Structures are given as structure tokens and as C-alpha cells.
Amino acid sequence: LSVKENTMLKYQFTDRGIVVERPASQGSNRGCFSPTIIPTANITGWQAPYDWILYFSTDHVNGSGGTWAVLVSGDPTDSNNWVDYDTAIANGDFDYLPSKPSGNPVYIDTVSAGTQTETPCARVIDGVVYLTTHNNSGPSYDGGDIREQTTAIATSSDGINFTRQGYVLTYDPRFG
């Protein structure tokens, strides 16, 4: 971005390169897809030593997909401050949770089983994390792979354990 004589520019961005490597649990996927980062201070049940949590998915690889998590302590532009959820679990950083995912992905929509849980978007509202994801879980329109794309929502009071709430949007790919 250029700030040259642009009075409308509110932010200037600097490319910091790769700040966190793709978690090994994503396999051969091309990397982190649809990342969304939120501050953990706003999550009611959060006690782990991290200031930020980044949720993301695979890039529509085969299988069930899922929502992965990586965590940040301090400045998110410093790659030394990032750790994936698997490492945080191994370090005991979530031992305060009586129940939790044993590793990444932290959330898979099991109601829409056989489809992919992809493209997460997370927001904290009144201390609760609202996580929307896409799933190809509707009927087949052509007898093959073209299915209704749905947006489901899950909630979490601790940022790690999510409970599916249902579908909030549906999309019929036949009508663009």
C-alpha cells in the first residue's frame, strides 16, 4: 500500500511474511484458508496464556475438513509468539478445561457428517465465540457433487469447545 497523498487511507499494512507454519495435522493441504483472528480477553471462559486465537480451515481438501486453531502471546506480527493448538495442549495450557479437543482441528460439524466443515468466521459477542462455517450438506441437484452450500453456526464459552446450533443460511448453487 502507498500512503502517497491519500487522505482517505486509515491503515498502512506491512507484509511480515509467514508468521506461523501450517499445522502438521492439516496434512498436504495448501495451508491456512479463511483465517479469522480474535482477542481472547473477550472470551468469558478463557484462561490460557494467549492473547489471540486464529481459527482457519483447510482449502476444501477431501475428508471432513474442520476448524483449526493457532494461538498468539503478545505481538501477532512476531512469528516467535505463535503456537498451534496441538503444541498448547502438549504444554498443558488448556488443562483447566475438563473436556477439550485432543488436538486440531478443534471443531468439526459432525451433524453434517460426510461433508466438509470449511471457511470459518469467528466473532465474540457478550463473551461467547460465535463460529460460522460452510458445509456442503444439502441435497444433490445433479445426482453428483453439486450440493446446497449451508452456513452453520456453533458457539463456545471458552473458545475451544464448540456446540453446533444449526443452519443460519443456505445457498443453492444452481442460482449463483
Side-chain angles (χ1 to χ4, degrees):
L1 293 174
S2 172
V3 291
K4 182 175 153 185
E5 301 300 317
N6 185 346
T7 59
M8 299 300 289
L9 185 65
K10 293 184 180 184
Y11 301 99
Q12 181 175 359
F13 296 95
T14 303
D15 185 348
R16 305 292 258 186
I18 296 173
V19 292
V20 63
E21 293 294 331
R22 176 187 69 233
S25 59
Q26 276 201 320
S28 61
N29 183 60
R30 294 184 301 223
C32 306
F33 187 69
S34 189
T36 181
I37 190 168
I38 59 172
T40 58
N42 299 335
I43 303 170
T44 299
W46 190 268
Q47 296 177 28
Y50 302 100
D51 303 310
W52 302 90
I53 185 166
L54 175 84
Y55 300 104
F56 59 92
S57 69
T58 60
D59 188 7
H60 296 285
V61 297
N62 293 332
S64 59
T67 299
W68 273 254
V70 291
L71 308 144
V72 185
S73 294
D75 180 4
T77 65
D78 183 345
S79 62
N80 295 314
N81 295 340
W82 289 76
V83 62
D84 68 13
Y85 176 74
D86 300 299
T87 301
I89 286 290
N91 291 343
D93 295 336
F94 289 95
D95 285 353
Y96 66 92
L97 293 173
S99 176
K100 59 194 161 289
S102 60
N104 268 317
V106 294
Y107 177 69
I108 296 175
D109 183 349
T110 57
V111 174
S112 300
T115 67
Q116 295 179 337
T117 304
E118 300 287 348
T119 57
C121 182
R123 297 291 182 265
V124 180
I125 302 169
D126 295 331
V128 175
V129 179
Y130 288 79
L131 180 74
T132 58
T133 57
H134 287 148
N135 298 282
N136 292 332
S137 58
S140 171
Y141 294 111
D142 64 351
D145 292 334
I146 297 178
R147 298 188 179 278
E148 182 178 273
Q149 170 114 8
T150 57
T151 301
I153 192 163
T155 58
S156 173
S157 61
D158 59 29
I160 298 298
N161 294 295
F162 286 91
T163 302
R164 185 183 190 281
Q165 302 299 323
Y167 294 121
V168 292
L169 297 171
T170 60
Y171 165 72
D172 184 337
R174 297 175 298 172
F175 303 106

